Amino acid sequence: MKESLRKDIEDVIKATFDDMLKIYKLQTTGEGVPESKLRFPYKYKNHEQGKLRISEQELRSLFVEKLQNKGLYYNIEAPTMGDYRFENTEGKVRSGNFDLVICDETGKERYALIEFKGLNPDKKCYAKDYWKLQNSQEQGVLRYFLQVVKSANDNTYENIAKKKDSIKEFAQNKAFNVNINDLKEQVIYRCISLDDSKEITDEIHLPNHP
């Protein structure tokens, strides 16, 4: 089941990324023929139309469209099974949420846990998601972190790579209620750059680390 599910999810990711690039190309150049009716919204200031707003909302919405084509069941903002503290040592420990969970028909059995990220926020945002995804106490045989950025260069690649690995820093300073022994699960990371019109997953790694 794991391999067939992974293939289905990889197909959904590819379809999502491909169509998102087409949507962006259509809205920025007038070219491109996307399948989806989804469009990026524009920002406004003093009623003047500005640039496109890029966020994880479009990524998740488009992913759900493609997921439905596969006939897979899912839920949105699904509560975590474990309790988390994301603030400081004095903060309360409570349930978090996964952006999306692929599940069985009843919604009880969890197969895949997925977090979406738009642009390149601060390292705490990465650490929070990676803490939940790597936690072996959560149910789900597959864990994904999917990201869209507007543009990227060598500095972006290294910056994101460092932030992805920042959960260890938060664990060491006790800001999160992280048990290092629970950080066992592999997280599958994928990312696209809109201005570069391509997936940039392979470029994102720390120097001297393949």
Side-chain angles (χ1 to χ4, degrees), residues 67-103:
L67 192 65
Q68 290 174 330
N69 293 339
K70 279 288 185 180
L72 296 172
Y73 297 96
Y74 63 94
N75 43 55
I76 301 291
E77 294 295 329
T80 58
M81 301 177 88
D83 291 329
Y84 297 84
R85 182 182 62 239
F86 297 129
E87 298 302 325
N88 52 58
T89 55
E90 303 300 324
K92 293 182 179 180
V93 177
R94 58 188 176 187
S95 174
N97 289 298
F98 289 109
D99 288 341
L100 185 143
V101 170
I102 296 176
C103 57

Side-chain angles (χ1 to χ4, degrees), residues 13 41 50 57 66 88 93 95 130 132 145 149 181 184 194 196 208:
I13 294 171
Q57 303 304 325
K66 308 305 180 183
N88 52 58
V93 177
S95 174
Y130 268 84
K132 292 181 292 182
F145 187 105
V149 297
N181 294 326
K184 298 177 180 178
L194 297 176
D196 297 302
N208 302 319

Side-chain angles (χ1 to χ4, degrees), residues 9 12-13 16-17 20 55-65 67 74-77 97-102 112-119 121 125-126 129 132-133 144-148 189-190:
I9 295 175
V12 171
I13 294 171
T16 300
F17 283 3
M20 179 160 278
S55 77
E56 65 188 59
Q57 303 304 325
E58 291 77 39
L59 181 58
R60 183 172 74 175
S61 296
L62 194 54
F63 184 90
V64 167
E65 280 188 34
L67 192 65
Y74 63 94
N75 43 55
I76 301 291
E77 294 295 329
N97 289 298
F98 289 109
D99 288 341
L100 185 143
V101 170
I102 296 176
L113 313 175
I114 303 174
E115 292 287 339
F116 301 92
K117 196 63 63 186
L119 304 180
C125 292
Y126 288 83
D129 287 346
K132 292 181 292 182
L133 291 171
Y144 285 86
F145 187 105
L146 307 180
Q147 185 171 14
V148 55
Y189 175 79
R190 304 287 294 278

Side-chain angles (χ1 to χ4, degrees), residues 120-130 147 160 163:
N120 184 15
D122 62 47
K123 62 184 177 182
K124 184 177 180 180
C125 292
Y126 288 83
K128 287 165 65 175
D129 287 346
Y130 268 84
Q147 185 171 14
I160 292 177
K163 289 177 179 177

Side-chain angles (χ1 to χ4, degrees), residues 162-176:
K162 289 179 178 178
K163 289 177 179 177
K164 283 172 55 189
D165 203 39
S166 64
I167 180 58
K168 297 173 184 177
E169 173 188 334
F170 284 89
Q172 290 169 353
N173 67 23
K174 307 298 182 183
F176 294 178

